[in-house]
Every structure is written in C-alpha cells, then in structure tokens.
Amino acid sequence: MDDDNLLPFSLPAVARKKLTAAFDGGRLTSDGGVLLLAAVERRMQIAERLAGEIADPRAAALVVHTVADILRARMLAIACGWEDADDLDRLRTDPAFKLACGRLPDTGDDLCSQPTVSRWENAPGLREVVRLMRVMVDLYCASYATPPATVILDIDDTVDVVHGHQQLSLFNAHYDERCFLPIHVYDTATSRPVAVLLRPGKTPSGREVRGHLRRLVRQIRRHWPATRLTIRGDGHYGRPEVMAWCEDNGIDYVFGLPGNNVLRAAVEAAADDVRVRRAEAQAPVLRRYSETRYRAKSWSKDRRVAARIEASTLGLDIRFVVTSLATGSAEWVYDTLYCARGQAENLIKMHKSQLASDRTSCRSPLANQVRLVLHTAAYWLVLGVRDAIPVGHKLATAEFSTIRLHLLKIAARIGETATRVRIAFAAACPHAGLFRVLAGSLIPAAP
C-alpha cells in the first residue's frame, strides 16, 4: 500500500478559518479500549490455551511471533471491528494493540502481519482443530465458578453465504444461495457461547445432530458430571435419533414440532373452544394452550406434545413443541421455556453481524473452522467487558456494537519514556468514569 493518505488535505472552513489535516499525529490510537479486552484475555488465557493445541515446528530461537501472540493479535483486532487479517498490516504498529499484546509502544517489536496470520489460520490439521473446539467448550465450563445445577443449551444453525469455491459449501434452495450452515450452541441465560461448528449448507440430519450433541455433551460432562442439561432447538433438531439419544443419556429436551392432521385433530376440541370464545368476546386475538400424547411412525414411543392455539381475525394458528419434561403446564413449556430460544437467534446475529463470524472465505474448511474459533474467542472478550459493567448501567445489556462504540473506540495518545508508558485518553470521552471502573475491576493494580 502506498502512503498517499499521509499527504495533508483540506476540510471545510470553520469560522472563516481554513482547516488542514494529515495522518501524521504520531503515536495515537483510535482503539484505546483494546486494553480492557486484553485484561479479559489475560484473565481467561484464551490465546495461551488455543496455542497450546497447535504444533509449532519452528526453531524456538528464531521465533519472533509466538503462536499465542499471533492468535491474541487476531482476536483483539476482530473484537475491535478489524475483522480482516489485512488490517493487521497497519495495526501491527498501533501503540494500543502493541501494549495489549505485551509489547512496548515505541521500543517493542511490531506485531505480526497479515501473511503470518493467514499461514497460522491454515496451519492446524484436523486433530488440532478438534482440540481447539474442545478448548472453547472448556472455556465455557470454566466461566462458571461452580458447576451449575441445571443449564439450557440452545442449538441452531445460520446461513453463511460464500462468494467463491470454498470446500463444504453447497447450494441451498431455501436461501437461494451457495452457503455454509454452521451450527451455533449458546447458554442463552448468560449469553455465553458453547460451540460453533462449520458444516455444509444443507439441513442437518438426525444422525448428524446426534453425533454433534454426543461429542459436545461428553466434553461438558468431564467438567459437570451431575449438571442437568436441557437441549432446546427448532423443528429440524427434533429428530427421532436426537430425542432417543437424549432420553437414553438423561438429557432433557424441548424441540419445535411441525404440525400435521393427526396433531391438529388431537387438539381440535381446544382449538374450537378458542375460536368460539374469541368470536363471542369480539377480541382481536385469543391464545390458549393444550397438550396431548403423540407418536409419529418414526418414533420409538409416544411423547408429550404441547400446543399453542391462537385465534385471531386472520384465522387459527397452532404451533407444537415436543418435550421430555413431565412437569410444567403446556403454557409454561411453550411460552416460558421454548420461546426463550429466540434469544439464541439474537446472539447468532451479534456473532455474525457485529463480530463478522461469517468471514469464512478460506478455501479449506479447517482454516474456516479456525476462523470461527477466533471469532468466538473475540465474542468472549467483548462479553467479558460487558459482564464487568455494573448492573443497572445502560451499557450492561448493550449489544456488542454499542460496547465497541462507547468503550473500545476511544482515542488516546501513548508515550513511552525510560521508566513508564503514559496513556492520555480523550478528555471528552462520555464514559470516562465507567472506563476507570472497568480498568480497576479487570486490570490488576501495578506493583
């Protein structure tokens, strides 16, 4: 890249004074909040854990950038909105990023460049990628101080449109695109990611979903042998293979269930009552709930099905869910338990649109899975900053893009002397008080 952007340029005059500008301010950064992310990363040791699963064949005496340093720089850049590896060609000299990676802003070595990052995204083999995914599950389990009594895990897939000839990409007629359909698993009660798995752009079969859940639950059980797990998902995860496996392994579930004539006939009495009551009351909408026992031809036994019946001026709408839970009313199963899975869709949107986890443009599926791991690591960093915000503050429940705008994108001048490094943040920062609180809670005090 040439340096034409360093030449001075003009801006519209203000109060009859000419404005000239140039990118020559020196040791300035627009990402002062990256130091908060670095504090979260040091606490969780994400880069070190991931690097420990990747073989490094280089001669140790000649290594300038360790694998942990490379992964750390990449995930910090993603969290700050620099999702392209090309961005590191410029950010490698950014003083805030250098400090976040443990290097002095002036006298320390520059960070790794894009070619180095790309080589290491493509370096791990299949076994190493599997171990990286296990590390992410271990991070989730370690995020709890003690094993929880019960956890609900939401599983869903999302479209990831491709624009090349990436391996595993397929044409999906529903989305009318060539794409991947990666599976995301979240603990939506805490917004924590559990696993993100790259897979072909087709609806997963029951056998495939059963295999993914078996491996995921096995890894979780190594940490939480007594925790009660509940799997929640939409209709195409409620396959007979999945439900039978959950029942055989003591896992509860609640899945969406496509309606059919047999199910509608089973709740017809309740549906007719709702229609009549709405008409008599002249209400725009009336909702009631019912339940029944149902056994499809492909099922090994009958199972509990809860129905949400809604009558309106537009007609009758009935939705079904199947569950292994024997307790709780049909209303609680559908409205409180099942409908809460909508939060998982919000988390997937944040993962994709605000952390750019759909940048799976490598040809190799293993490299794209490594990218998903790094983007999920960036998710953990931003989530760690948000979780440290005091309860009741307006940013305590903000989306990641808002956290980035208010707490990460802060201008700062960084100067290094013989004995210390001084960071001068923008004096007009609206959240200076909150930033100070977060620094005190996330960053250990200096000796």
Side-chain angles (χ1 to χ4, degrees):
M1 182 183 293
D2 55 36
D3 290 331
D4 289 345
N5 60 339
L6 298 179
L7 299 175
F9 56 94
S10 298
L11 295 173
V14 175
R16 294 185 296 177
K17 290 190 177 183
K18 182 181 179 180
L19 296 186
T20 60
F23 287 93
D24 58 1
R27 311 304 289 171
L28 298 174
T29 182
S30 61
D31 296 285
V34 71
L35 298 173
L36 297 179
L37 297 173
V40 176
E41 196 282 324
R42 281 194 296 270
R43 178 178 295 181
M44 299 184 69
Q45 292 290 301
I46 302 179
E48 298 292 344
R49 292 189 184 193
L50 293 176
E53 303 299 336
I54 302 176
D56 187 352
R58 299 175 296 174
L62 302 178
V63 170
V64 176
H65 308 290
T66 66
V67 177
D69 288 340
I70 296 168
L71 300 181
R72 184 179 296 109
R74 183 77 166 106
M75 65 180 69
L76 290 173
I78 293 170
C80 287
W82 307 106
E83 64 272 7
D84 290 329
D86 288 342
D87 296 323
L88 282 169
D89 284 340
R90 290 290 185 178
L91 295 176
R92 64 194 301 256
T93 61
D94 184 285
F97 276 94
K98 291 177 69 173
L99 283 176
C101 292
R103 302 189 180 190
L104 292 173
D106 291 331
T107 59
D109 292 334
D110 290 341
L111 303 179
C112 57
S113 61
Q114 175 270 324
T116 302
V117 172
S118 296
R119 282 195 296 271
W120 282 99
E121 285 181 345
N122 286 270
L126 177 59
R127 292 183 182 276
E128 291 172 317
V129 171
V130 170
R131 292 198 295 268
L132 293 179
M133 297 172 65
R134 289 175 181 166
V135 168
M136 302 312 293
V137 178
D138 294 341
L139 283 172
Y140 163 69
C141 294
S143 67
Y144 282 85
T146 58
T150 181
V151 163
I152 299 175
L153 301 180
D154 283 283
I155 183 170
D156 203 357
D157 52 65
T158 183
V159 63
D160 180 356
V161 178
V162 304
H163 303 285
H165 298 283
Q166 291 96 315
Q167 297 171 2
L168 292 188
S169 64
L170 295 175
F171 181 80
N172 190 294
H174 176 75
Y175 297 105
D176 196 27
E177 295 281 4
R178 191 171 182 85
C179 62
F180 300 121
L181 280 182
I183 287 178
H184 290 238
V185 182
Y186 293 92
D187 177 353
T188 53
T190 58
S191 299
R192 296 169 185 169
V194 182
V196 181
L197 172 68
L198 188 76
R199 52 174 308 282
K202 61 179 181 178
T203 301
S205 67
R207 183 177 179 181
E208 179 188 350
V209 175
R210 180 184 63 188
H212 295 324
L213 287 178
R214 182 179 67 249
R215 289 183 286 272
L216 174 62
V217 170
R218 182 171 58 212
Q219 189 67 17
I220 292 175
R221 286 295 187 212
R222 292 176 179 174
H223 302 273
W224 301 340
T227 297
R228 181 178 179 181
L229 300 177
T230 301
I231 307 296
R232 182 167 58 192
D234 60 15
H236 63 259
Y237 288 94
R239 305 301 179 91
E241 299 93 336
V242 177
M243 292 186 287
W245 180 85
C246 288
E247 291 161 352
D248 292 341
N249 290 272
I251 308 295
D252 290 321
Y253 61 81
V254 54
F255 295 122
L257 183 65
N260 55 42
N261 291 334
V262 175
L263 284 170
R264 284 187 284 270
V267 297
E268 176 57 30
D272 186 63
D273 180 65
V274 173
R275 275 193 297 255
V276 171
R277 289 177 181 272
R278 189 210 66 81
E280 291 177 344
Q282 293 296 303
V285 178
L286 184 63
R287 177 181 288 192
R288 292 290 185 270
Y289 303 85
S290 183
E291 64 177 85
T292 185
R293 303 292 298 184
Y294 173 70
R295 178 177 179 177
K297 291 182 179 180
S298 59
W299 294 6
S300 59
K301 63 178 182 180
D302 64 324
R303 295 183 170 97
R304 183 189 182 194
V305 174
R308 187 270 286 157
I309 306 169
E310 184 173 280
S312 69
T313 55
L314 300 177
L316 189 67
D317 180 56
I318 306 177
R319 302 293 176 91
F320 300 94
V321 297
V322 58
T323 181
S324 62
L325 299 173
T327 59
S329 65
E331 179 178 1
W332 177 83
V333 169
Y334 188 90
D335 268 0
T336 302
L337 182 60
Y338 178 72
C339 287
R341 65 170 293 274
Q343 177 61 12
E345 297 181 4
N346 295 331
L347 299 178
I348 291 174
K349 289 177 182 177
M350 284 204 301
H351 207 295
K352 287 176 60 179
S353 64
Q354 299 176 25
L355 290 172
S357 65
D358 55 355
R359 292 297 181 96
T360 48
S361 54
C362 295
R363 182 172 179 81
S364 164
L366 295 180
N368 285 324
Q369 180 62 58
V370 171
R371 285 194 173 188
L372 282 178
V373 169
L374 292 174
H375 284 263
T376 304
Y379 182 112
W380 274 109
L381 299 184
V382 184
L383 181 65
V385 171
R386 191 179 73 174
D387 286 347
I389 298 174
V391 177
H393 194 282
K394 65 179 182 180
L395 294 180
T397 56
E399 293 195 345
F400 289 174
S401 59
T402 304
I403 297 293
R404 181 186 296 140
L405 177 64
H406 288 270
L407 292 175
L408 304 184
K409 294 297 182 179
I410 299 178
R413 181 184 297 277
I414 300 177
E416 178 187 345
T417 66
T419 58
R420 71 174 59 194
V421 174
R422 187 178 188 280
I423 306 172
F425 290 107
C429 177
H431 295 289
L434 175 60
F435 195 98
R436 180 188 292 271
V437 170
L438 293 176
S441 62
L442 291 174
I443 302 175

